[in-house]
Amino acid sequence: MDAAQQEATARARELQRNWYGEPLGALFRKLIDDLGLNQARLAGVLGLSAPMLSQLMSGQRAKIGNPAVVQRVQLLQDLAGQVADGSVSAAEATERMDEIKQSQGGSVLSNTTSTTSSSGAPTVKRVVREIQSLLRSVAAAGDIIDAADTLAPTHPELAEFLRVYGAGRTSDAVTHYQSYQG
């Protein structure tokens, strides 16, 4: 790989970090590990070709162009978290991945227990991810940060909200959300 290709790859990974919270290579590797998948199965569930998944993972391509695929990535991240905390078994995860694969974008799983706690309320992480998804569908993280900087002098709380949910990590947004509850 020559210097120009290395620079383009680094730029693509930085854009991915802004758009998706981390480079897609790292995000997809986590999903592969957490859900016991291989790249071909992950590509199939997401609705991507294997070469496209590879290009996204390597930084040859920066952005997922299809919003339904972005939604499926988020659904898989939620599912991986549920597998990790033991609330979903491996067998249930396989079933849910088939549901995610069939989804065309909307919240296909919103009426199932995968998105709710035992009390029937949406999980905090799910609510946070929905807020993040909505903000990131409106503008890129860099634009959200610019808007937050503009608002900061007169509306610091709103600026913080935009920074945390529009460009921050999910874990930080969950902490922020919980600090405003109860």
Side-chain angles (χ1 to χ4, degrees), residues 52-128:
M52 175 65 77
L53 179 74
S54 179
Q55 289 173 357
L56 289 164
M57 288 181 76
S58 67
Q60 292 174 301
R61 188 177 291 264
K63 190 169 189 175
I64 299 171
N66 184 335
V69 173
V70 175
Q71 176 95 27
R72 288 184 203 113
V73 169
Q74 292 168 334
L75 292 169
L76 283 178
Q77 287 178 299
D78 290 344
L79 181 59
Q82 292 164 347
V83 169
D85 71 18
S87 62
V88 171
S89 71
E92 288 174 304
T94 299
E95 220 175 274
R96 298 237 177 104
M97 282 188 271
D98 289 337
E99 292 174 11
I100 290 169
K101 181 179 180 176
Q102 301 304 315
S103 73
Q104 297 302 310
S107 278
V108 69
L109 303 180
S110 63
N111 294 325
T112 70
T113 57
S114 70
T115 60
T116 58
S117 66
S118 57
S119 68
T123 62
V124 169
K125 191 170 187 179
R126 178 68 185 191
V127 170
V128 165

Side-chain angles (χ1 to χ4, degrees), residues 98-168:
D98 289 337
E99 292 174 11
I100 290 169
K101 181 179 180 176
Q102 301 304 315
S103 73
Q104 297 302 310
S107 278
V108 69
L109 303 180
S110 63
N111 294 325
T112 70
T113 57
S114 70
T115 60
T116 58
S117 66
S118 57
S119 68
T123 62
V124 169
K125 191 170 187 179
R126 178 68 185 191
V127 170
V128 165
R129 283 236 169 97
E130 291 289 334
I131 294 168
Q132 288 176 317
S133 177
L134 178 61
L135 279 171
R136 292 171 185 176
S137 71
V138 171
D143 294 335
I144 293 171
I145 294 294
D146 289 346
D149 291 345
T150 301
L151 286 170
T154 55
H155 303 286
E157 296 86 3
L158 187 53
E160 178 188 12
F161 175 86
L162 286 175
R163 280 191 194 98
V164 170
Y165 295 88

